[in-house]
Structures are given as C-alpha cells and as structure tokens.
C-alpha cells in the first residue's frame, strides 16, 4: 500500500475509481444518461469517454428502468456494469429492477446468480433544485436485503468504496451528495486504495457525545464538534459509511464510551436512517445512555424551491449544537 | 413505416395568412413574449437573481403557441422541465412566473416550486415537471377525467424527443388509445436530450412519430418552426379528439437555440455544430410570422415593432415585480404538505 | 351513527367501502388489473363491476406506472380515483408517480393542486409466493411526506379508513395484508362508518407492557397478550392504524403508563417502521422506560419460497412472548 | 401497419418435414415433456404437495420448443411467471424443477425460489420472473454483454401479450435497436393476461408485432401452435442476430388450454368461451407434430407412444424424486442474501 497522499475532489474520486477499475478489469463498463461525451451533468466522469471510448463509456437513452435492467442482465452474464442514475430522485423509476431483481437474484436462485452491479446516484438538497431533484432517498435501499448501501463522506472514502463496490460480486449502490463534488480531501496515492464495505470510520475521537453522521452531515458534525470543543464538550463523530450491512459494533462501542448519541442524516427524518440507528443504540446501549438519543434529518416536507425556505429543511450546525445542549438539559 | 405518418407540407413563407389579423397578431405576441421572457431569465440568472437552473425555450416558440392557440382555457396541458413556453402560450402570466422563478411568494407556486413546477390549475396547466416523461400518465388521466365527466375537454401532453424513450410513453399511449381518450401526445423534437443527439439514443427510421402506429393512433409530423402549420394541425386533431375519436401523436420538428439549461453556455463548442444552429435560426418562427404579416398587409413594420416594444416592457415590468416581491415567510415551509 | 353491527371479512370491507363511496360520489371510480369482471385476483372487488359497469370499474393494461399516472391526472382534474396495485411488490414500478408527483403536487404548487387519489395495495408473506410477491414495503411510503399511509388490522378499521381515504383530498395509500382477506370482524351497520386518518387505536388495554403492532401483527400481539396474561403480564396493544401522520400521543401515553414497549411490523426489520416508532419511544419516553424498546420485523432476507424457510422470516407469537420475557430479564 | 410485418405462412399439416428424424423427435420429446410436467404440476397442486400457485404452459409448447431449439446451450433466455415450458425447452431437468416447485433443497434454487424464479445459469436460463415485463431489460443486458465480450451469443426475451403493455418493453426494444444487440423479443400472444382479453387492453390494429416497427426492427408473426414454423422463423432471426444485425420481434400466436394459474379452474365459465378453447385445441402442437412424423414415415404410431411412455415415466420419477427430497435446513434462510 502506498502511503503518500494527494488532494483531490469528491468528484475526481469518482472518476479515478471508475477509470482505475476499468483499466484493471475489462469487464467493467459505465453507462448512464449524458455520461460519455458530456462527462455527466455534474462533469465528474469527464475524460472517461476519451480514454475508454463509446463502447465502455456508454450514453443511454432516458430510460432509467431500462438501463437498470440492462445493468442487471449484463452483470448476470459476465460483465461488471457501473450504472449512473443522475439524480437519486429518478431511482423511483428504476426500483423494480434493483429491488425485485438485482437484490433478490442471488437468494432466489439459491446462490446461483451473481449480480456484480454498481449503481451510482446522488442525494442532497441545497441547490434550489426543488422537490424532484433534491431528495435523499437512500433509506429505501437500506431497507432492502440483498443490496449493499454505501454513503461516503470524503474523497478518500468515496474513491476507496466505489472501487470496492465495483469489485464486489453483489449489487451495491453508492450515494454521492451532489453538494460535495467539489469538496477536497487527501487520498492515498496509487490504484490500490480500497475502503472496505461494512466498516464504519471514526472521523473524530471524543469522549462526551457521539454523533453518528452520514455523507455531508459528517462535515457538519465535524464543524459542530469544533464549536462544542470550545465549550468543553468533546464530540466523537462516527461515520457509518456503509448503511447496509451496518457496522453496529463501532457505533455501539462509541456510545458505550460517551453515553450520549445524536444521529444525523439528510434523508427525511421519519421512517429513515436515523430511526434505525437511534433505535439500535437505544436498545443495545440502553444501560449506558445518560440521555435519550436525538435524531436530526431533513424536515418531512417536499424540498421547497425558494432560498428563503429550503435551507431550513436540512439539518445545520446550529441544530446539532442545540441538540447536544438539550442532552445536557434533559438530564440536568 | 412512414406510410402511416402524415407529413404536413410546410407552408411557404410567401403564402397568404388565411387567419384573421388579430388572431395572427395574438400568436405573434405570445411567441415574442416567450422569447423576451426567456431572455430575461438568462439575464437574471447571470445576475444571480434566479436560484437554481432553468431550461430556455428560445427557438421553439411556434410549437407551444401553435398548439395552445388551438386549445380552450378549460383544456389541459402537462408540461416539462422546459415549460415556460407552454405556460405562456396557455395563458400564464409572466409576472407571476417570474416571481416563481425567483422563489417569491407572489409566484404561481408561492415560490415553493420554481421553474420546473409552475402550474396554474385555473388555466388547465397541470404543471411543468422535473421528471422526464413524468407527465404522460397525468395527461392521459386528465383525458380520462374529461371523458368520464362528459365534458369535451382535451389534454395535451408535451414532451421531448428524449422523453420518447421513457416507458411511460408506451403505457400512456396504449391506455389513451384503448379508451379513446381526448389526449394529444405532442412530441417536441428539438434533436437533443441534454447533450445527446436523439439519433444516438432513439431507434427510429426517421420520425419519432413512427412509434404512434404501434398504438393504433394517427401520427403527424409538422414543421415546429411554423406557428401557423402547428396551429392548423393541432386544431384539426383537437377537433377530432373533442368529437370522441381518441388520441393522436404530433411531432413538431424544432430546435432550441440555447443550451440545455441556462448554464450550458456554448453547445456549439461541444455537442452540436454552429452550422446546424445557424441553419435552424434561418427558420426562426417569430421572424417568419412577422414577415408574413407584413407581406400580407396585416401589419406594418412599425406595428410589429410596437408589439415588440410593449412586450419588452411587460417583461421588464415582470422582472421588476418579481425582484420587489417578498420571499415566502419562513413558517410557510411546513404548509401545503397536505391540503 | 348506527350502533348495530354485522360480521364481515376484511375483503368484504374493501368492497363495501368502495361501493358505498361510489354510490355517494359519482367522481369516485376504481381501476386496476383484472379488477372488473374478474373481481380482482383476491376476489375482494367482485360484484362492483356488475353494479357500476366498466366505465367506473375499469380493467387496465399491465402498466403499473401508467395507471398510477392516470390516477394522478384524473385526481388533479375533478375525479377521485381508487387505484389498485395488485401486489405491493409492484409498487416498485409506480414509485415515481406516487413519490415525485402525487405526494408533492400540493406542496410544489403552493397549495393549488389537489390529488384526491386513493391507492390500495397489499403486503404480507406466508403464502409461498416467494420474494417478489410477499414484501411489506409500506415503510417506503411512510418515509415520504405528502402521502398518508394507512395500515388497518381489522375489517372495521379497513372499511372505515378506506372510506376516509376516498373522501380525503390528499393522496392516501392503504396497505391490506393479503393473508387477512378472510379474517372476520364486526363492523358498524350503515354507510356512515368512518375511521379517522391519523388516530391510533388501543386494541387491548394493559398495564405492564405496550406492544405497538401494525396490520396482521396486531392479531399476533393480541394472542400473545392472551398467553402472557396467564403468566400475570398485562399487555396493552396499540395499533397505530395510520403510519403517516402518526398518532404519537397515543403511543407515548401508553408507554409512559407501562414503561415497556415492543414494536412489531411485518416490513423488513432494518430501516423500517419499527425503527421509527422505537426511536420515538426511546427518545420521548426515555425517563419512563424500565427496559430497552424491542423491535420485531421481517427477517432481512428476500422472502424464501420453501415452506420450511418462509415462516421463520415473519414475527410469530413465540418471538413476541420471548421478547416480552427478555424485557424482564434485561433489568432483573 | 401490417405492411411492415412478416406474417409467416402456416405450414400445412400434410407437408413433409424437411428436418432430420432425430431433430423432429427431439422437439416432440421436449413438447411432450412440458405437457406431462405441467399435468403433474396440476396434480401435485391438487394433492397439496406444491406450496403456492403455478402457471401452466399447456397448449403453448410449440412456442418454447420451437424457439429454444434454435438456440445454443450458451445462448440466454429470460422467462416469465409461466416459465416451465421455456426452461424445459432450454434444457432444464424436470427432477430439479419439480423439487424446486415443492420447495426442496434439491431444486434448482435450493427451494428458495419456487416456480416463478427457477434459473439455471449454466444453461443460460437467467430465470423465470414474477414481475410481468421484468425480463425485458435483463435480456437486453445479456445481449449487450455478449456483444461487449465479443461472443456470438444471442438472448431471447420471452414475454406475454400482457407484458407488451409494460413500459419496460419500449425501453429495452429501443436500446437493443440503437446498439444492434443480439436480442430476440419473443412475445407469446396467448390472447389473455390473467382474466383479461388482450383485445380490451392492447391498442393495436391486429398484431402486437406492430409495435416493433417503432423501434426500427424486423417483426414477424408466426403460428405458435406449429413448432416447425416457430423453429424455422427463430432460427433465421437467431442467425441474423449472431451476424450482428441486431434485434427482432417475433410474435407467436398461441393459447393456454388451462386457467391462468393452477387455481383458475374453469376459464370457460368466466372470461372465455368453450368454442374458443375447443378451436385452439384442434391445432394442438403435439398432435400435429406426431401426425406429421407418422405421415412422413419418420416414426410409427408405436414409436411415438413409446416416446410418450418414457416421458411419462421420467416425469413420474421426477415427482417421486421431489417428494422424497428433503427441505432445506432452517439455517439456510440467512444464506445467499449476498454472494
Ligand atoms: C426521469 C428523468 N431522467 C433524467 C432527467 C434529466 N434530464 C432533464 S432534461 C433531460 C433531457 C430531456 O430531453 P427531451 O425530452 O428531448 O427534452 P428537451 O430538454 O430537449 O426539451 C434530462 C435527461 C430528468 N429530469 N428526469
Ligand atoms: C408487474 C406485475 N404486474 C402484475 C402482475 C400479476 N400478473 C401475473 S401474470 C399476469 C398476466 C400476464 O399476462 P401475459 O403477459 O399475457 O402472460 P401470460 O400469463 O398470458 O402467459 C399478471 C397481470 C405481475 N406478476 N407483475
Ligand atoms: Mg429534446
Ligand atoms: Mg397472455
């Protein structure tokens, strides 16, 4: 393993992961709407077409259900497709192929079928893109057995996890927060940087409160932790990185140490990621908890367009800090 | 396949306008309003006054205006991400549209929808739509509703060449046809879906309209840069639908002069050629109609530029109105989740 | 309101609700695959076609996404469609129209659009129907603001809630457990029997443990309660009936009284209904709890076909009883 | 529309069989195997030995056998809820199928899939499918995979008349066509989707094959009760696909003698007529092939009934095998969620 590092963006991490895996394994190919010549609407796959050509970097028709089906079929028969669904909101159109086919084929066939399909899609509000282009619907997939669900928060994790996803023999979906594509971070040099699927990461160590945060919420949690440190509250930030299978040990260990937990995710608050993780903690760390587990998620409203409304629907640093404060009040 | 398609012969630019003066002037006004509105949108985007992105309709005006001129106020349309033209043509007010684009409370949707979701239920505008192909079923449902309520309303489903590859088209076309619903599938073929040529992703011989035959409905191809031809074609099919004869498919051949969205600055440097754009601009629907009106003695050059002026100032006023308008109150964020 | 009662089945409750509302309001109509002459694959809508004819009881093509779109369009323009999606598993095909259109139109249009659309679909395993015909995916919809989610457990609730759904001006989805269609229960006479949306029901009063159970799990919980009563444990069974909007007050009141709670739902255990309700309780009744909140859901595996495997994937009475026992051990 | 469709002329039952004896006998054996297998399924269902429901293929045998005989072992098929016929025709073993139907560990899927999910990856059987229209994209993906791996494999996508109304068809057909993939869309039109006549829910003039023209691919209609015609037609199109000439659409006109599923006991009392069923039975594919073989001197009546006998006992043996086979161990419930 190489030890030196380079700074790249979240978006560049996508491109590097795909191109390295495509060089390594000729059965890997990439397809989606406007991903080739145009390099994708977020431009994160720019350059792949020039290197690999139109066979392996493939522009598709606007047919989300169809391209997902094509991905499943190609994966079943010896290829390793990477399928891009431009906005996570459009996954609504492709759900059958992922949920009823890809996720179940190995099980339903008694282990015969392999579906080494990687799905890349986006989450995240904050661009005034309104209700149909701003949802973070990853909880849906985490609810479904048979598909692995990744939700990286840094360029290094994204690159290493996307590469692991492509090499995995199971269907894997990776959610990229579109607001983070220009976020920079250090990534190990070389094409052997892999981050294991199913392993959480402690993004900051602390002793008083555990914040379990996903994707862009990790950045928020880290800056809230800086602020809270000045008040003398030491925050540990745990990034699950994989929602399914979930690394419950790392989360529980942290909470058993700190005795307080907050869970933050940008999906809708109700019936989503935070409920799962909070109830896990509340159950398995019951005797350790000094305060109820708090949850922060997107407000349960369709994402509004107006810049006067949209920001208030997403968790922010102030909300995290006040949630932490409330945990001390609650028991005081 | 093309045997089954009616190709409307382009009307010569020299041929006389057979419609009344005021009628032609109104179509002209609508087209110019769309053009100026979209130019203003590009401007406010540059100025950072419009949050998000928008998809300009410039170049395609004849399609929206020709179609909607054939409709009544109580007819329905479903629109797309590139919806401003459809909305203005169906009667949408530019000030409330502009306010919506800026996220203001005076906007059609109280600022909660923005460019891709503008709707005016009172005008039968069931909404722009951010989901490509998302309006197919909805328009069909509006047609079913009209049929069940025994009105003679018609529903027009606008969609692009790209959307023709969504499965939702098959399902909607099939249902509209088996139930003889008053639905017009109006495919605006502007040659591209985002940055991809329709030729590369659309399996057809020549026209997207070829797909209609598989659903046993009439299919027509018409010059989408000729507002009169679009109007006449649509009118005929609207009559047909009102009479209970079921759905049809109309493909308007058109072109967007600008990029896919306001931030797609120079398509000619990437996915299309300058020659192509220049060629289409020679068929400009606004210039053509103006020329014919003047030639036919319906209006003088001065009268035409008076119209242009008055629209220019109406759009300016709309921008001013939108700028001044307040944002929705913070508390509104939780309203309208349910009725 | 009439007070006398009649015994009908869960399936008959569907038919009565639809036919009464269709008689009352001519804008109500019903459509789905094979629902008319055939009376639906579960035969629960038999007879409607004979009374109302093929215009208002409409057989559709096999086009789940399309018929949902038609439902949305008809609802927007003056009708009150009731759309059947035969198996809840097929909702995967119709998600866009429900989630991106129906659920958001009112909000996105600033209150202009009304979508009085009722969606009926099924949940429930146990028939050896395998992985694509046995899922209980209602948590997905509960995650989405703008659509009301009903999950009745008795003929009376089903009838009264389906009627309320049809009269509601919002999109409402009602999940019927297909294993319960022949379940009998008393229903008030007359066509004015309505059950309010958003109101939980205490199906059995008790003092020691609260079981929050949904749909067919309510029946299981009731019989577990009988067994536990003989051991001297008094169980209160709370049926939320509506998942969204959730009647949190009734749930919390019960737990504050009993100090112990179990949440049971037939959806997959992870990232689903039980996580939401358990984390709600663990947070808002924190100071009242004598034991961690336990959760029971479907095993996180695609539903297997074999009768030697399938039953073990669904919560059963023994599992409930042992969960209750564990709550006493945990604190002992 | 029908101009664009090739209607294969039905071969006369008196015409000579031009294929080798053993070749014809093998098709005959396959068809009889399907028939006997399905009868056995009905029986074990009656006896309560099969959990759940199954969809009998009886009557449609010529379609599966004609098609799959034109394929190689390494070609792919995607099947449907009514999949037993396709699987047997592609080489599936009746004992492992029967064991699967009873949920036994010796089944193709270790009892975890049941009738609607039987697959044999080693034979290119990518699986039966419980989702109507669910295999369209998968077959197209298998075709893409073959093209990318530069093999000359072909993928056949079986689907019903009902499935032709799923949007997934449009999307798959479009992609297969633009990319010239070796995919054959094989529509088995047995006139009904569940309890609904395809006429009531399918907007076509006459043939579902009409829809193929909208995707610029050849469309052929063939008598699905004539195994030789189906074989010859498919063979031709398989050659075409192997040669890199892209996809095609074949509609086999066929009929299921039984109800939609094993529990749909008497369709003639409800959604179809006795006359119709009787008429189709006069075209029975098995009887027809037997008659032609005997007439052409390829086999004596005795030889034919020997085949029948041996198949009967093979199927009986399969049932016995399945009955005796153990259920999967309880612990297996959590295996195979992931590879
Ligand atoms: C379901 C879905 N897929 C993809 C997109 C992204 N997208 C927005 S516009 C567009 C191109 C649409 O092309 P076309 O239908 O030809 O309309 P045009 O933009 O040319 O007016 C795409 C792919 C989307 N909004 N919705
Ligand atoms: C997506 C989906 N919708 C509905 C069903 C229920 N269903 C099972 S078979 C069937 C009819 C299919 O008709 P067709 O495609 O003609 O096939 P056939 O049964 O005639 O072989 C239906 C509606 C399903 N399994 N999947
Ligand atoms: Mg276009
Ligand atoms: Mg059929």
């Amino acid at each position: 393993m190489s030890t030196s590092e380079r700074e790249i963006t979240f978006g560049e991490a996508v491109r590097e992961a795909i191109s390295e895996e495509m060089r390594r394994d000729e059965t890997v190919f990439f397809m989606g709407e406007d991903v080739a010549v145009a390099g994708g609407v977020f431009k994160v796959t720019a350059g792949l077409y020039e290197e690999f050509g139109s066979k392996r970097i493939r522009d598709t028709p606007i047919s989300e259900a169809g391209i997902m089906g094509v991905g499943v079929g190609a994966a079943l028969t010896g290829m390793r497709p990477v399928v891009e669904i431009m906005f996570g909101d459009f996954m609504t159109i492709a759900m059958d192929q992922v949920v009823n086919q890809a996720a179940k084929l190995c099980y339903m066939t008694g282990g015969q079928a392999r579906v080494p399909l990687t799905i890349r899609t986006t989450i995240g509000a904050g661009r005034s893109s309104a209700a149909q282009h701003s949802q973070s619907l990853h909880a849906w997939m985490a609810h479904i057995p048979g598909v692995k669900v990744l939700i990286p928060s840094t360029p290094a994790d994204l690159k290493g996890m996307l590469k692991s996803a492509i090499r995995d023999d199971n269907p894997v979906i990776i959610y990229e927060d579109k607001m983070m594509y220009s976020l920079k971070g250090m990534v190990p040099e070389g094409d052997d940087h892999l981050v294991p699927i199913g392993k959480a990461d402690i993004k900051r160590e602390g002793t008083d409160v555990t914040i379990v945060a996903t994707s862009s919420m990790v950045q928020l949690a880290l800056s809230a932790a800086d602020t809270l440190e000045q008040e003398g509250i030491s925050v540990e930030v745990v990034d699950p990185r994989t929602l399914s299978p979930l690394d419950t040990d790392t989360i529980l260990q942290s909470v058993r140490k700190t005795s307080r937990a907050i869970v933050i995710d940008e999906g809708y608050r109700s019936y989503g990621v935070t409920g799962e993780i909070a109830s896990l903690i509340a159950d398995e760390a019951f005797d350790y908890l000094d305060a109820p587990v708090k949850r922060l998620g997107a407000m349960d409203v369709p994402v509004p367009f107006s810049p006067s409304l949209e920001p208030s629907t997403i968790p922010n640093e102030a909300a995290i800090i006040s949630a932490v404060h409330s945990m001390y009040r609650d028991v005081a | 396949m093309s045997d089954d398609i009616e190709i409307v012969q382009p009307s010569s630019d020299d041929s006389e306008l057979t419609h009344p003066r005021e009628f032609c002037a109104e179509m002209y006004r609508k087209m110019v309003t769309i053009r100026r509105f979209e130019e203003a949108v590009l401007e406010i985007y540059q100025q950072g006054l419009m949050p998000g992105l928008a998809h300009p309709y410039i170049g395609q005006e004849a399609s929206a205006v020709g179609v909607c001129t054939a409709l009544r106020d109580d007819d329905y349309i479903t629109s797309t991400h590139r919806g401003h033209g459809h909305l203005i043509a169906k009667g949408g007010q530019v000030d409330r549209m502009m306010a919506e684009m800026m996220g203001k409370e005076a906007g059609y949707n109280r600022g909660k929808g923005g460019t891709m979701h503008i709707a005016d239920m009172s005008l039968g505008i069931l909404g722009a739509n951010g989901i490509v192909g998302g309006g197919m079923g909805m328009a069909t449902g509006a047609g079913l509703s009209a049929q069940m309520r025994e009105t003679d309303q018609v529903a027009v489903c606008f969609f692009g060449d790209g959307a023709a590859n969504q499965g939702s088209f098959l399902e909607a076309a099939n249902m509209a046809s088996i139930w003889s619903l008053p639905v017009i599938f109006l495919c605006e073929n502007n040659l591209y879906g985002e940055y991809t040529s329709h030729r590369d992703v659309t399996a057809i011989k020549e026209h997207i309209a070829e797909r209609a035959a598989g659903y046993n409905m009439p299919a027509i191809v018409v010059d989408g840069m000729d507002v009169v031809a679009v109007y006449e074609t649509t009118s005929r099919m609207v009559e047909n639908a009102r009479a209970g004869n079921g759905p049809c498919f109309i493909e308007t051949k058109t072109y967007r002069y600008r990029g896919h969205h306001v931030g797609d600055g120079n398509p000619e440097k990437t996915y299309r050629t300058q020659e192509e754009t220049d060629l289409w601009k020679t068929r400009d629907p606004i210039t053509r109609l103006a020329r014919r009106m003047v030639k036919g003695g319906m209006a003088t050059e001065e009268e035409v530029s008076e119209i242009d002026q008055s629209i220019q100032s109406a759009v300016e006023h709309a921008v001013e109105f939108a700028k001044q308008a307040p944002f929705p109150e913070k508390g509104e964020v939780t309203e309208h989740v349910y009725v």
Side-chain angles (χ1 to χ4, degrees), chain A, chain B:
Chain A
M1 293 280 268
S2 55
T3 46
S4 60
E5 296 195 328
R6 269 174 317 122
E7 192 179 69
I8 62 171
T9 66
F10 204 67
E12 283 160 354
V14 173
R15 187 174 60 240
E16 289 190 4
I18 296 175
S19 59
E20 287 172 13
E21 293 309 302
M22 285 185 67
R23 274 176 224 134
R24 190 179 156 271
D25 180 346
E26 63 180 16
T27 66
V28 178
F29 71 102
F30 176 53
M31 64 178 165
E33 295 159 16
D34 303 287
V35 299
V37 187
V41 295
F42 302 108
K43 304 293 170 210
V44 300
T45 56
L48 293 180
Y49 168 77
E50 286 71 16
E51 178 172 356
F52 299 102
S54 62
K55 289 261 173 307
R56 294 180 71 195
I57 304 293
R58 197 171 276 262
D59 275 333
T60 66
I62 308 173
S63 306
E64 283 80 8
I67 65 181
M68 195 62 78
V70 168
V72 177
L76 275 174
T77 56
M79 301 298 290
R80 293 188 168 273
V82 180
V83 169
E84 171 175 309
I85 299 293
M86 197 186 285
F87 284 79
D89 315 68
F90 311 158
M91 282 294 299
T92 49
I93 308 179
M95 292 299 275
D96 168 61
Q97 289 298 313
V98 185
V99 171
N100 286 329
Q101 316 292 345
K104 295 183 173 34
L105 270 159
C106 179
Y107 192 88
M108 292 192 304
T109 62
Q112 275 188 76
R114 296 189 166 212
V115 187
L117 167 69
T118 299
I119 305 163
R120 289 182 47 237
T121 194
T122 54
I123 56 174
R127 301 164 83 237
S128 285
S129 298
Q132 293 174 340
H133 287 73
S134 305
Q135 294 168 95
S136 300
L137 296 173
H138 46 287
W140 279 358
M141 281 300 159
H143 188 49
I144 302 301
V147 56
K148 299 185 181 178
V149 181
L150 318 186
I151 183 163
S153 69
T154 65
D157 285 350
L158 172 51
K159 180 173 176 186
M161 295 177 82
L162 180 50
K163 285 166 66 79
S164 293
I166 294 171
R167 296 186 193 186
D168 200 291
D169 273 343
N170 298 284
V172 181
I173 184 163
I174 183 160
Y175 288 93
E176 302 163 8
D177 190 311
K178 58 181 101 73
M179 300 297 283
M180 291 203 294
Y181 279 132
S182 54
L183 176 84
K184 289 184 178 151
M186 300 307 288
V187 173
E189 282 288 4
D191 55 13
D192 52 0
H193 164 62
L194 294 174
V195 172
I197 293 175
K199 191 78 202 75
D201 185 45
I202 297 182
K203 285 283 188 287
R204 175 193 174 116
E205 298 207 2
T207 52
D208 299 331
V209 183
T210 297
I211 300 184
V212 181
T214 61
S215 189
S216 63
M217 299 295 110
V218 172
Q219 310 302 328
L220 276 187
L222 289 173
S223 66
D226 284 344
T227 310
L228 288 162
E229 187 167 45
Q230 284 152 33
E231 298 176 18
I233 299 176
S234 163
V235 174
E236 178 146 305
V237 177
V238 179
D239 176 0
R241 298 197 294 195
T242 303
L243 293 180
S244 178
L246 183 67
D247 178 358
T248 56
D249 286 351
T250 303
I251 295 170
L252 292 171
Q253 251 166 44
S254 174
V255 179
R256 286 182 186 132
K257 178 178 75 177
T258 62
S259 303
R260 285 180 175 82
I262 297 180
V263 186
I264 316 177
D265 176 81
E266 205 192 314
Y268 295 124
R269 185 178 190 279
S270 290
Y271 299 94
V273 166
T274 61
E276 177 63 26
I277 297 177
S279 62
L280 166 83
I281 296 170
D283 179 1
E284 308 231 2
F286 185 74
D287 294 328
Y288 297 82
L289 287 176
D290 287 342
V293 184
K294 291 294 169 193
R295 301 190 285 146
L296 294 174
M299 193 183 280
D300 289 316
V301 305
V303 180
F305 168 73
S306 182
S308 79
L309 303 176
E310 186 185 22
S312 71
T313 67
I314 317 167
N316 58 27
E317 196 185 316
I320 299 176
I321 291 171
S322 93
V324 171
H325 288 164
S326 81
M327 305 189 103
Y328 286 91
R329 266 201 309 280
D330 276 4
V331 281
Chain B
M1 165 61 51
S2 308
D3 319 354
D4 291 291
I5 297 176
E6 178 190 338
I7 312 276
V8 176
Q9 289 311 315
S11 46
S12 147
D13 280 4
D14 299 320
S15 70
E16 213 182 317
L17 288 165
T18 54
H19 301 284
R21 176 191 187 288
E22 182 45 31
F23 182 88
C24 295
E26 183 57 22
M27 291 205 294
Y28 181 78
R29 269 194 289 270
K30 284 259 168 74
M31 290 200 293
V32 176
T33 305
I34 295 171
R35 176 84 43 110
R36 293 292 100 77
F37 182 87
E38 296 295 56
E39 286 165 355
V41 167
L42 283 156
E43 218 172 283
I44 61 168
Y45 170 72
Q46 300 290 355
Q47 296 165 350
L49 291 171
M50 181 186 74
L53 298 169
H55 305 87
Y57 194 73
I58 295 177
Q60 305 187 194
E61 295 87 350
S63 179
V65 173
V67 169
C68 293
T69 302
L71 299 179
R72 294 194 314 234
D73 271 5
D74 69 341
D75 288 327
Y76 300 111
I77 65 167
T78 59
S79 175
T80 68
H81 58 286
R82 196 177 305 289
H84 308 156
H86 310 140
L87 310 184
I88 292 172
K90 189 70 171 61
Q93 300 300 308
V94 288
D95 49 357
R96 293 187 63 197
M97 285 176 63
M98 199 55 92
E100 187 60 35
M101 317 261 312
M102 295 194 200
K104 302 300 182 71
E105 196 197 306
Y108 265 113
N109 304 18
R110 305 183 64 82
K112 296 171 102 163
T115 167
M116 277 198 291
H117 306 293
I118 300 177
D120 185 345
M121 295 294 150
S122 71
L123 288 172
I125 301 170
L126 303 182
N129 206 318
I131 302 297
V132 169
M136 306 272 189
M138 277 160 64
T140 307
L144 176 62
S145 166
Q147 188 189 66
M148 291 188 82
R149 289 181 289 106
E150 297 180 11
T151 71
D152 63 351
Q153 292 161 291
V154 165
V156 173
C157 176
F158 283 104
F159 63 104
D161 49 284
N165 294 325
Q166 286 284 28
S168 58
F169 169 64
L170 181 159
E171 302 187 5
N174 185 51
M175 280 185 276
S177 181
I178 54 172
W179 294 333
S180 280
L181 303 181
V183 180
I184 293 175
F185 292 95
L186 202 299
C187 181
E188 299 187 302
N189 183 351
N190 64 5
L191 310 192
Y192 297 89
E194 289 194 343
Y195 318 108
T196 300
S197 163
H198 83 296
R199 283 273 155 212
D200 295 339
V201 290
T202 315
I204 46 173
K205 289 207 184 68
E206 198 178 342
H207 307 291
I208 295 173
E210 290 156 20
R211 292 198 177 160
Y215 310 96
N216 196 20
M217 63 170 83
I220 311 186
V221 174
V222 61
D223 177 1
M225 308 301 274
D226 178 347
V227 71
V228 177
V230 173
Y231 164 72
E232 287 172 354
T233 301
T234 310
S235 257
R236 187 153 48 94
M237 298 321 291
V238 165
E239 291 311 296
N240 197 51
R242 280 204 215 292
N245 297 326
C248 74
F249 188 106
I250 301 176
E251 177 179 354
T252 58
K253 303 277 191 184
T254 181
Y255 201 73
R256 60 165 157 82
Y257 295 174
R258 303 300 181 121
H260 169 60
H261 59 57
V262 290
D264 174 21
N266 204 338
E268 288 69 31
K269 287 264 155 67
T270 45
Y271 55 93
R272 65 187 199 189
T273 64
Q274 191 62 50
E275 293 70 50
E276 184 183 86
T277 307
D278 290 344
L279 178 69
W280 280 90
K281 283 187 177 169
T282 64
R283 307 176 189 157
D284 187 72
I286 294 177
T287 324
R288 271 163 90 183
L289 183 60
R291 209 186 299 132
R292 284 178 75 181
M293 285 173 68
V294 172
K295 239 185 194 154
M298 274 190 181
T300 62
E301 303 258 3
E302 290 70 43
E303 280 164 337
V304 168
S305 72
E306 263 164 41
I307 296 180
D308 292 354
Q309 292 287 314
S310 77
I311 288 168
Q312 179 65 38
S313 69
V315 169
E316 276 163 20
H317 172 269
V319 171
E320 218 36 55
F321 168 81
K323 280 190 198 166
Q324 303 303 329
F327 283 108
E329 304 278 334
K330 302 242 173 280
E332 219 188 281
V333 71
T334 51
E335 275 170 39
H336 308 306
V337 177
Y338 297 108
V339 169

